[in-house]
Amino acid sequence: MEISSKYNPTEIENKWYQYWLTNKYFSSKPDHRIPYTVVIPPPNVTGVLHMGHMLNNTIQDVLVRRARMMGMNACWVPGTDHASIATEAKVVNLLASQGIKKSDLSREDFLKHAWEWKEKYGGIILEQLKKLGASCDWDRTRFTMEPKLSDAVIEVFVDLYQKGLVYRGTRMVNWDPQGKTTLSDEEVKFKEVKDSLYYIKYQGVDFDGHLEIATARPETIAGDVAVCVNPNDDRYKHLLGKKVRVPLINREVEIIADDYIDIEFGTGVLKVTPAHDIHDYEIGLKFNLPVIDTLNDDGTISEQGVLFVGQDRFVARKAWVSDLKEHDLLIKVEDYVHNVGFSERTDAVVEPKISTQWFLDMKKFMEKNPKVLSAVMDDEIKFYPEKLKNTYKHWIENIRDWNISRQLWWGHRIPAFYDESGDFVVAQTAEKAIVEFAKKGKSLNLTQIKQDDDVLDTWFSSWLWPISVFDGFESKEELNYYYPTNDLVTAPEIMFFWVARMIMAGYEYTGEKPFKNVYYTGIVRDKQRRKMSKSLGNSPDPLDLIAQYGADAVRLGMLLCAPAGNDILFDESQIEQGRNFCNKIWNAYRLYHQWEPLKDVEIRTYELEAIEWFENRLNRTLLENEEHFAQFRLSDALMNLYKLIWDDFCAVYLEAVKPHYGESITMEAKEATKLFFAQLMKAIHPYMPFISEEIYHSLFEGSIESPCVVSEYPIANKEKAFAMELPMQLVSEVRNIRAQKQISPKEKLYAWMENAESELVDFSSMISKLSNVEFQPNQRISNSNQTMFLINKSEIWLELNLEIDVEAEKNKIQEEITYLEGFWKATNSKLSNEKFVANAKPEIVEKERQKLNDAETKLQNLRVQLSNLS
RNA sequence: GGGAGCUUAGCUCAGUUGGUUCAGAGCAUCUGCCUUACAAGCAGAGGGUCACAGGUUCGAAUCCUGUAGCUCCCA
């Protein structure tokens, strides 16, 4: 049957993915084998597949598929997280488009809508991962808000509360006015913003004149309760204790002094607004100042803000400025660049706000679990790349309490129950809460208590993921087998949100690390180094790419250049390279397939040599790759296989065993080729699962014991892993001479080897086949149209059917002699240096001696040739 | 403002404890080829003062110090 000269991935991919699923090759159950476990970083249910997911999941799939082929019980657990704030925003928007306001709905009704939304859209991303070829055990798909996982979250909250690690407290927190919720410190992203710095007059009350104050946020003036200077600032010492009038508001406030104030900044005077700035808040606490909150939860000015009530904070800012100007209280405006916090989910400018929230006491937690830091520092949990250990250490050592409550409905509702007086207990259920109240001497019924309205931070459920996906809070059965997991693949930006916290939960709840290795991927960027994002519109749709080039091509394109921790600069040309590689493999198969082998004909010398040669190349690559894989150098391993297949297998081996025109390959050689091809497909399978499975099956025409996906990964035979570089060096040199002298590859040339090394002699038939050169067994008869070159120490004489330019030959040889003389001199001076011989390692000195000897041999030969030519 | 890291070919990157497998790979470029699997291909070639300046050493891309530029994290 005729096979197309172009590889068509679509049909093949669907066929094999279905085949793998049907035969349950991805499913895992505990058994006698060594487990190899990976938990997926749960994508957010609102997400659709983007390039970052592609990279991340391709890497995981490579690791998992290889482990499976290495005979381990590979278990890759998929799932999604509920993404409180993002999902709630989506649902609110969807309802708004239907004319429904969240505030008109009860909590229960809203959640009903949210679950509907989740059922409809929440699984999309997992379906997309299948297109990529992800070999997850889909029967194990989990969701952070499903009942069992929710129970675990509540359990943990109650437990940590009872241990005194979770507490309720009033603090300055990050407020997202768009999401209308607090955020943890990690959810605030600082960005440099060009703003204005306004210099404003605060009139003296009990002194003449005024103070000049610089602020970027005039809309908060209504919350001013003092002005503050540095106690060492001579400009203002005489004014301490006196009063100024807050502009437009006319509140009288005192001038106080504190070391915190930077004399250099602005005018050296700070307006103190405890409700809206963390530092001001601390000064407020110190001086016992009142707190005037001038903002509503949605970022508009509150009643206490007096002016522009109900206006958005940024509108109010402009209004304040123009009013100040009108009253001649604005002195000047300067350009001002500073860092402003934005909500990681909604991108709204975050407001510092005083609020009562639930916190996890991190200092106490770390004292209880010192392994969280030491395990990483001591490489018990290994980070790839290692340099990220520093970042981790820095964060842990400066850790602050974790704000775990969110003013949202979609999520795990905080299991705290309040009575009418505001007194509260923490318990798994309302019924248990009644019991808790009873212990406090309060006899209440269910209608007299009310559960906390807030939910928990999504990461407060994700941090349990490696334990909870195995139902580890319920039974140890699967946990004992699969945990700790092997490798975690994630982005460095998730290190604090998730990686660190999983390590915390791991030690607190299992006394064990959650994983052995953490592989940090980079960020996928475009050629201009911009992060690929939907808003920039610079990201191709991964599914379109798969449709156009095939999943294998996309996977290869992503991984060809993606060292751990490095950003990858994505370019469609890389995917093209992947597609071309698929096509190369495809055509290699076509060639193999069309060979009609000769039975009962003894294998030819050039075939035998080619087989011997490739066997060594194959084993050498496999050997090198074992090291690459051990170090998570997936790109290097891939490049090695790429070159092995393209250069060694296709360009050399197949050309070498390919029969001469009109002849046929021998049965034995075709059989050897089949086995090589199968080995190659197995070796590349983790990277390119589809095409490898297709060809693997075709090679054996359905008569195979197991499909590629669960076949044995090839192991290097160390005895047959020589570099074997000399034969091809010789071939290249001949081709080069042909190119230079414009001699057609079809013209047969005659050659002699003198002082030849065995690596050339042993492969002379193969060399002969590839270079169309016939080696003469007899002694060389010197004549004028011969040219000589060296391959390592061996002399190769090539007879050409054209007059040799003797002068040019002499020059060529002279050039080489000059180079070698320089080399000899350098090496010799090294060896005659007593300090070198004394200090360098013996094997290094020996190596140098060897080099010197080799150079001498070569020089001797060349000098003889030169004199022969003269 | 505090901390960490990076700088090697036109581009993206390797370069393990200092020592000719130390100056490499892929892509791109250039030259010649529609050679009976593949032009999504074949055969060749060119290209780097290893950011800069010092130092340590018999020997430095590799270790140390400083300078410049870039990146990330934290406040």
Side-chain angles (χ1 to χ4, degrees), chain A residues 180-310:
Chain A
K180 289 184 199 151
T181 178
T182 58
L183 304 172
S184 70
D185 296 324
E186 288 69 37
E187 287 167 297
V188 181
K189 296 290 152 208
F190 285 88
K191 283 189 241 174
E192 208 167 71
V193 167
K194 272 187 203 165
D195 255 333
S196 299
L197 194 60
Y198 303 93
Y199 286 75
I200 297 162
K201 267 185 211 170
Y202 282 57
Q203 292 292 349
V205 174
D206 43 8
F207 66 97
D208 289 335
H210 62 266
L211 279 183
E212 232 178 79
I213 297 184
T215 178
R217 307 191 54 196
E219 75 279 8
T220 64
I221 286 174
D224 290 356
V225 293
V227 300
C228 192
V229 298
N230 190 295
N232 301 318
D233 194 336
D234 291 335
R235 291 175 295 180
Y236 305 115
K237 269 185 177 160
H238 64 289
L239 293 176
L240 288 181
K242 295 196 186 301
K243 287 183 173 168
V244 292
R245 191 167 281 134
V246 176
L248 303 184
I249 302 292
N250 295 328
R251 180 186 305 131
E252 291 178 9
V253 300
E254 199 176 316
I255 300 168
I256 56 176
D258 191 271
D259 290 335
Y260 166 73
I261 309 303
D262 179 0
I263 297 177
E264 303 294 321
F265 182 81
T267 59
V269 190
L270 175 81
K271 65 196 245 340
V272 181
T273 323
H276 301 293
D277 183 280
I278 178 69
H279 303 293
D280 293 17
Y281 177 67
E282 271 154 25
I283 293 172
L285 285 180
K286 208 158 154 187
F287 290 86
N288 208 11
L289 298 167
V291 174
I292 302 174
D293 189 346
T294 60
L295 279 178
N296 291 318
D297 287 351
D298 61 357
T300 58
I301 304 296
S302 71
E303 291 292 335
Q304 292 201 82
V306 186
L307 297 172
F308 318 113
V309 171

Side-chain angles (χ1 to χ4, degrees), chain A residues 83-135:
Chain A
S84 251
I85 184 163
T87 309
E88 183 146 331
K90 289 253 178 197
V91 176
V92 167
N93 286 343
L94 181 73
L95 291 173
S97 71
Q98 298 166 0
I100 306 170
K101 278 201 278 184
K102 180 186 164 193
S103 51
D104 294 342
L105 291 175
S106 69
R107 187 182 188 111
E108 285 64 35
D109 286 340
F110 177 82
L111 287 178
K112 220 180 275 172
H113 286 287
W115 276 106
E116 270 172 30
W117 188 93
K118 188 262 166 188
E119 292 311 320
K120 196 163 170 193
Y121 303 106
I124 291 179
I125 193 158
L126 299 181
E127 289 308 309
Q128 292 176 319
L129 285 176
K130 294 179 182 172
K131 294 274 177 226
L132 184 66
S135 64

Side-chain angles (χ1 to χ4, degrees), chain A residues 28-30 35 37 75 140 470 478-485:
Chain A
S28 168
K29 294 204 167 53
T37 319
C75 180
R140 290 181 174 273
F470 299 114
E478 288 221 318
L479 198 71
N480 285 340
Y481 182 72
Y482 288 114
Y483 189 95
T485 70

Side-chain angles (χ1 to χ4, degrees), chain A residues 436-696:
Chain A
E436 288 299 313
F437 273 118
K439 285 185 194 162
K440 285 182 156 189
K442 289 188 175 181
S443 167
L444 299 169
N445 63 43
L446 286 175
T447 58
Q448 290 170 304
I449 60 167
K450 190 176 176 303
Q451 187 172 359
D452 200 301
D453 276 326
D454 293 347
V455 299
L456 289 161
D457 181 6
T458 306
W459 299 105
F460 194 85
S461 50
S462 316
W463 75 328
L464 309 176
W465 190 247
I467 306 171
S468 60
V469 294
F470 299 114
D471 295 325
F473 289 92
E474 199 180 277
S475 112
K476 300 285 172 237
E477 199 187 326
E478 288 221 318
L479 198 71
N480 285 340
Y481 182 72
Y482 288 114
Y483 189 95
T485 70
N486 291 67
D487 306 330
L488 179 81
V489 181
T490 192
E493 53 201 12
I494 307 300
M495 190 190 326
F496 310 136
F497 281 117
W498 195 46
V499 179
R501 287 173 182 156
M502 280 191 285
I503 297 174
M504 292 171 188
Y507 282 110
E508 178 69 23
Y509 286 103
T510 70
E512 263 260 46
K513 62 193 167 212
F515 27 70
K516 297 172 190 129
N517 302 295
V518 184
Y519 180 107
Y520 292 100
T521 65
I523 295 167
V524 183
R525 297 178 184 277
D526 68 9
K527 272 170 114 183
Q528 285 120 55
R529 286 199 177 268
R530 295 176 307 176
K531 188 173 175 175
M532 280 194 168
S533 72
K534 234 193 270 175
S535 51
L536 265 174
N538 59 349
S539 176
D541 181 340
L543 293 180
D544 288 349
L545 287 175
I546 289 175
Q548 193 183 342
Y549 295 101
D552 287 330
V554 174
R555 292 165 65 112
L556 192 106
M558 308 261 0
L559 284 191
L560 267 172
C561 198
N566 272 39
D567 287 357
I568 82 160
L569 268 65
F570 179 82
D571 186 56
E572 222 162 293
S573 69
Q574 284 164 253
I575 310 278
E576 265 178 48
Q577 198 183 341
R579 179 200 58 184
N580 295 354
F581 186 50
C582 289
N583 210 43
K584 187 73 190 174
I585 295 174
W586 186 247
N587 278 290
Y589 177 72
R590 285 178 69 212
L591 176 67
Y592 163 87
H593 181 75
Q594 66 164 46
W595 284 336
E596 293 289 344
L598 289 171
K599 288 180 186 140
D600 309 321
V601 172
E602 202 179 331
I603 189 162
R604 304 184 180 102
T605 313
Y606 68 79
E607 290 174 332
L608 271 175
E609 287 178 9
I611 290 164
E612 173 75 13
W613 181 85
F614 186 72
E615 194 177 6
N616 277 281
R617 302 293 292 181
L618 173 68
N619 281 310
R620 189 174 180 81
T621 304
L622 291 174
L623 196 62
E624 284 170 3
N625 277 8
E626 280 167 20
E627 183 59 25
H628 284 317
F629 277 113
Q631 299 294 317
F632 286 85
R633 292 194 293 245
L634 304 188
S635 293
D636 298 79
L638 174 59
M639 184 51 72
N640 244 354
L641 289 169
Y642 179 90
K643 287 192 282 194
L644 177 72
I645 292 176
W646 199 306
D647 299 336
D648 294 333
F649 185 64
C650 294
V652 178
Y653 174 79
L654 288 179
E655 289 299 332
V657 295
K658 185 176 176 177
H660 286 111
Y661 188 70
E663 290 180 6
S664 292
I665 193 167
T666 64
M667 192 64 178
E668 214 175 311
K670 182 162 183 185
E671 202 55 29
T673 307
K674 176 163 92 178
L675 295 178
F676 282 147
F677 216 145
Q679 291 280 83
L680 292 173
M681 290 306 96
K682 288 199 266 190
I684 201 80
H685 178 83
Y687 293 96
M688 309 175 85
F690 296 107
I691 192 170
S692 55
E693 188 72 271
E694 170 72 17
I695 288 182
Y696 192 78

Side-chain angles (χ1 to χ4, degrees), chain A residues 795-850:
Chain A
E795 289 168 43
I796 314 297
W797 291 86
L798 196 61
E799 189 172 71
L800 306 173
N801 295 324
L802 43 82
E803 204 55 38
I804 295 285
D805 180 344
V806 178
E807 278 312 300
E809 284 299 303
K810 278 162 76 178
N811 284 341
K812 200 179 81 183
I813 293 174
Q814 186 55 55
E815 245 174 62
E816 210 160 333
I817 288 176
T818 310
Y819 169 81
L820 278 170
E821 280 171 347
F823 179 79
W824 184 90
K825 236 174 152 181
T827 313
N828 189 49
S829 75
K830 210 184 267 188
L831 281 167
S832 28
N833 183 335
E834 280 172 32
K835 285 185 175 170
F836 171 72
V837 181
N839 293 330
K841 284 184 239 166
E843 59 265 34
I844 304 267
V845 178
E846 187 44 45
K847 226 180 199 172
E848 292 298 315
R849 291 225 165 88
Q850 189 59 48

